[in-house]
């Protein structure tokens, strides 16, 4: 495979247009105003020093510019991954009190995520993103938003709690409030930050609300002397660029990190595919799912080698880049270089940034993760899928972030299996004014031929649903008057496994003994080939297979002389 296929950024550079340069540079500079505060805030959310968020942002943008296929997507630390990272590093491995250990564990986690996603991309395993259905993902994100909100409330109020998990953290926060630990100045700064971000998002969406909030808060610290009133500040960042550091952890920690990496990779992959599809549709680009995984994977690996942690695509940052006129991956490169220049020459630029403002940035992001209109739509359109969303929400809220993602995946898989296990089944008839044969539940006045039952089973026949199929046919065979033919409208049956084949053979013998003929119509050629290979035609006469329902109905009418009736 040519190098350009593995490195789409090289192909973009070869075909780069001079007219794009001004827009890419402008968009990169605008994007930086969002990358810096969000990178620092999401690092704290993940239980890591704020500076690691800037290191992570720089390296993942540079790597994706080379290996990522999308000219639009922007990567970086993400609010949906932060609690998952913290759940592994702080909640399970207890790294909260040792930043050096936390950075090493976070870097190894990013390396594992990167390797998993790169291998998945090379081997074409992008379909695993389908393991998170939209309803369960909506519920999961709502639970995640609540978890993030509660975890940031103490920081917003100027104190800290020693607890892990939604309920323990909420309880500890209430106790802290009752004990009078709130710092009024911190709460004022944090609350005002949230209000300013949301107001600007609603009223002036073209104004970078996060940047405006950061600038206003830094000015307020200087003007009102907030540091003397108990408001903690970020302080000066380390000067210079991160050093190349190969992650190293103990073997006992590696197993826990790998389990967390699987969940993080799945969420990151789902975010990436959904965002790539949305922006590709708007820009006319083609989604290259496997290459996207390679791009995200290499971005995580690059971040892991420079004290970084797992990253994903960001819908909000991508939207900012697009609205600012971004034309290619150069936008991300400009953002990364600008962050590097800040660290090299003006590391004290954010010295007076209040920590409650970082909490405000995270809380504002978590509020945007809740999709209430989608929940209302699910409740109105399909209660079962709404129930899945609710269960996924409760799993995250009550069991924790990592257990929540496991439950969400399990629910999605079980929902798929449920639909195949108990598929929709229908008796068909001829409805007035409509061609073909249709469900009598929808057309209760549909006509039928006496002695003939047309039955449709909307799923492949396999071991799990073969009993359901057999019992339904038996019920049809016991109706009064007893049918002469039961015709299976087999077009939806896309497969028959050996268990189902054995069931059909026994069922046919049972029906034949009762004077009822089992007939198949519209069976797909590949399924018919399996029927022949299973030697079902030993008991089921080959003449009982018809190419269309019309042919089967015409044959029955010709043999019996039956006429249509209600």
């Amino acid at each position: 495979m040519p190098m350009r296929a593995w490195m789409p950024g090289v192909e973009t550079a070869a075909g780069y247009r001079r007219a794009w340069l001004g827009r890419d540079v402008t968009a990169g500079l605008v994007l930086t105003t969002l990358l810096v505060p969000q990178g620092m805030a999401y690092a704290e959310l993940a239980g890591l020093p704020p500076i690691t968020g800037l290191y992570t942002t720089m390296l993942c943008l540079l790597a994706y510019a080379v290996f990522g296929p999308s000219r639009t997507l922007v990567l970086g630390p993400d609010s949906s991954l932060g609690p998952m990272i913290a759940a592994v590093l702080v909640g399970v491995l207890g790294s909260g009190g040792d930043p050096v250990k936390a950075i090493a564990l976070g870097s190894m986690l990013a390396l594992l995520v990167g390797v998993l996603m790169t291998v998945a991309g090379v081997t074409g395993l992008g379909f695993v993103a389908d393991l998170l259905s939209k309803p369960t993902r909506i519920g999961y994100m709502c639970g995640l938003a609540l978890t993030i909100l509660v975890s940031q409330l103490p920081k917003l109020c100027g104190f800290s709690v020693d607890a892990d998990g939604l309920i323990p953290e909420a309880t500890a926060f209430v106790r802290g409030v009752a004990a009078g630990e709130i710092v009024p100045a911190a709460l004022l700064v944090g609350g005002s930050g949230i209000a300013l971000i949301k107001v600007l998002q609603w009223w002036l969406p073209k104004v970078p609300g996060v940047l405006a909030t950061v600038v206003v808060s830094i000015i307020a610290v200087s003007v009102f002397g907030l540091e003397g009133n108990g408001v903690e500040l970020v302080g000066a960042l380390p000067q210079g660029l991160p050093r190349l550091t190969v992650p190293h952890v103990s073997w006992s920690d590696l197993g826990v990190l790998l389990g967390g990496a699987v969940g993080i990779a799945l969420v990151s992959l789902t975010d990436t595919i959904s965002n790539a599809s949305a922006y590709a549709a708007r820009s006319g680009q083609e989604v290259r799912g496997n290459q996207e995984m390679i791009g995200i994977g290499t971005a995580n690996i690059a971040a892991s080698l420079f004290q970084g942690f797992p990253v994903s695509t960001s819908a909000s940052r991508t939207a900012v880049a697009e609205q600012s006129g971004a034309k290619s991956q150069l936008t991300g490169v400009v953002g990364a270089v600008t962050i590097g220049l800040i660290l090299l020459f003006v590391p004290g630029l954010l010295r007076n940034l209040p920590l409650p403002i970082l909490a405000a940035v995270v809380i504002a992001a978590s509020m945007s993760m809740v999709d209430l209109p989608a929940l209302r739509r699910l409740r109105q359109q399909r209660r079962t899928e709404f129930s899945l969303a609710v269960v996924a929400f409760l799993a995250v809220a009550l069991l924790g972030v990592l257990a929540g993602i496991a439950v969400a995946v399990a629910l999605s898989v079980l929902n798929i299996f449920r639909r195949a296990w108990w598929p929709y089944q229908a008796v068909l008839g001829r409805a007035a004014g409509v061609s073909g044969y249709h469900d009598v539940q929808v057309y209760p006045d549909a006509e039928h031929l006496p002695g003939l039952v047309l039955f449709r089973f909307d799923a492949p026949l396999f071991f799990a649903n073969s009993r359901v199929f057999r019992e339904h046919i038996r019920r049809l065979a016991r109706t009064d008057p007893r049918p002469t033919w039961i015709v299976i409208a087999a077009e939806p049956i896309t497969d028959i496994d050996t268990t189902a084949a054995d069931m059909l053979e026994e069922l046919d013998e049972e029906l034949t003994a009762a004077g009822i003929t089992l007939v198949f119509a519209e069976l797909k050629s590949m399924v018919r080939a399996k029927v022949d290979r299973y030697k079902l035609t030993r008991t089921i006469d080959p003449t009982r297979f018809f190419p269309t329902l019309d042919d089967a109905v015409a044959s029955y009418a010709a043999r019996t002389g039956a006429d249509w009736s209600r």
Side-chain angles (χ1 to χ4, degrees), residues 195-280:
L196 183 56
I197 291 172
K198 302 309 289 186
V199 166
L200 290 175
Q201 286 178 349
W202 290 331
W203 287 358
L204 299 171
K206 291 187 178 180
V207 175
V210 173
L211 173 64
T213 303
V214 167
V215 171
V216 169
S217 68
I218 291 175
I219 294 174
V221 167
S222 302
V223 173
F224 299 106
L226 295 178
E227 186 175 9
N229 292 310
V231 178
E232 292 188 53
L233 306 179
V234 168
L237 299 174
Q239 186 171 19
L241 301 178
R243 292 176 298 140
L244 174 65
T245 306
V246 179
H248 177 74
V249 299
S250 66
W251 284 104
S252 60
D253 292 337
L254 196 59
V256 176
L257 291 172
L258 182 59
V262 172
I264 292 170
L266 181 58
V267 172
S268 179
L269 174 58
T270 306
D271 277 343
T272 299
I273 298 301
S274 60
N275 286 328
S277 301
Y279 284 98

Side-chain angles (χ1 to χ4, degrees), residues 263-558:
I264 292 170
L266 181 58
V267 172
S268 179
L269 174 58
T270 306
D271 277 343
T272 299
I273 298 301
S274 60
N275 286 328
S277 301
Y279 284 98
R282 292 162 61 173
S283 62
Q285 297 181 41
E286 180 183 353
V287 178
R288 296 165 57 184
N290 291 326
Q291 187 61 43
E292 285 290 358
M293 285 188 287
I294 294 173
I296 303 294
T298 53
N300 275 282
I301 293 172
S304 75
L305 299 176
F306 292 89
Q307 304 174 45
F309 52 89
V311 299
S312 181
T313 55
S314 168
S316 62
R317 277 162 280 182
T318 302
V320 168
E322 184 188 49
Q323 292 167 6
S324 302
K327 293 295 181 182
S328 74
Q329 296 97 320
L330 182 61
T331 296
V333 174
V334 171
V337 171
T338 305
I339 293 173
L341 293 175
I342 291 173
L343 293 176
L344 283 172
F345 301 109
V346 282
L349 183 65
L350 300 174
R351 179 195 306 269
N352 291 332
L353 176 61
L355 288 179
I357 288 296
L358 294 183
V361 171
V362 174
I363 290 174
S366 71
M367 293 167 67
S368 66
M369 293 165 62
V370 179
D371 195 346
L372 291 179
L375 282 172
R376 284 195 295 267
R377 188 168 61 250
L378 284 176
R379 189 173 183 273
Q380 293 167 358
Q381 295 176 348
R382 191 154 183 161
R383 291 294 182 92
T384 55
E385 296 199 343
F386 174 75
S387 300
L388 289 177
V390 171
V391 173
F393 165 79
L394 293 174
V396 177
L398 301 179
L399 302 180
V401 176
L402 293 180
I405 188 66
V407 171
V409 171
L411 286 174
S412 298
V413 173
L414 287 174
N415 192 34
I416 296 170
F417 190 66
R418 178 189 64 83
R419 293 179 182 180
W421 193 356
W422 297 305
Y424 188 77
Q425 304 163 62
V427 173
L428 310 179
R430 191 176 72 173
V434 186
S435 61
Y437 305 93
H438 302 276
D439 187 351
V440 297
Q441 295 291 331
V442 180
Y443 296 93
D445 294 330
E447 298 177 327
H448 73 286
L449 288 175
L452 176 70
V453 174
L454 302 178
F455 174 67
R456 192 183 69 216
F457 190 78
D458 291 348
L461 264 176
F462 66 113
F463 67 94
N465 64 20
S466 59
R467 184 190 62 81
V468 174
F469 178 90
R470 181 184 61 203
E471 293 306 313
H472 202 109
I473 295 296
R474 283 175 172 173
R475 284 197 295 273
L476 293 175
R478 291 195 296 267
T479 55
D480 188 23
R482 178 170 293 186
T484 304
W485 275 25
I486 296 179
V487 179
I488 308 300
E491 185 180 18
I493 299 177
T494 56
D495 191 20
I496 297 177
D497 71 0
T498 55
T499 302
D502 292 341
M503 176 274 297
L504 288 175
E505 183 174 356
E506 295 171 1
L507 180 63
D508 178 65
E509 292 175 348
E510 179 182 322
L511 294 176
T512 299
I516 300 173
T517 302
L518 186 63
V519 177
F520 293 85
E522 301 180 341
L523 197 65
K524 297 181 184 298
S525 57
M526 62 177 185
V527 182
R528 175 61 196 273
K530 291 183 179 180
V531 167
D532 292 337
R533 190 162 65 249
Y534 297 152
K535 299 187 183 303
L536 272 176
T537 48
R538 290 177 308 174
T539 57
I540 303 177
D541 194 317
T543 60
R544 288 193 253 156
F545 291 88
F546 292 90
T548 68
L549 274 175
D550 281 334
D551 291 331
V553 170
S555 177
Y556 176 81

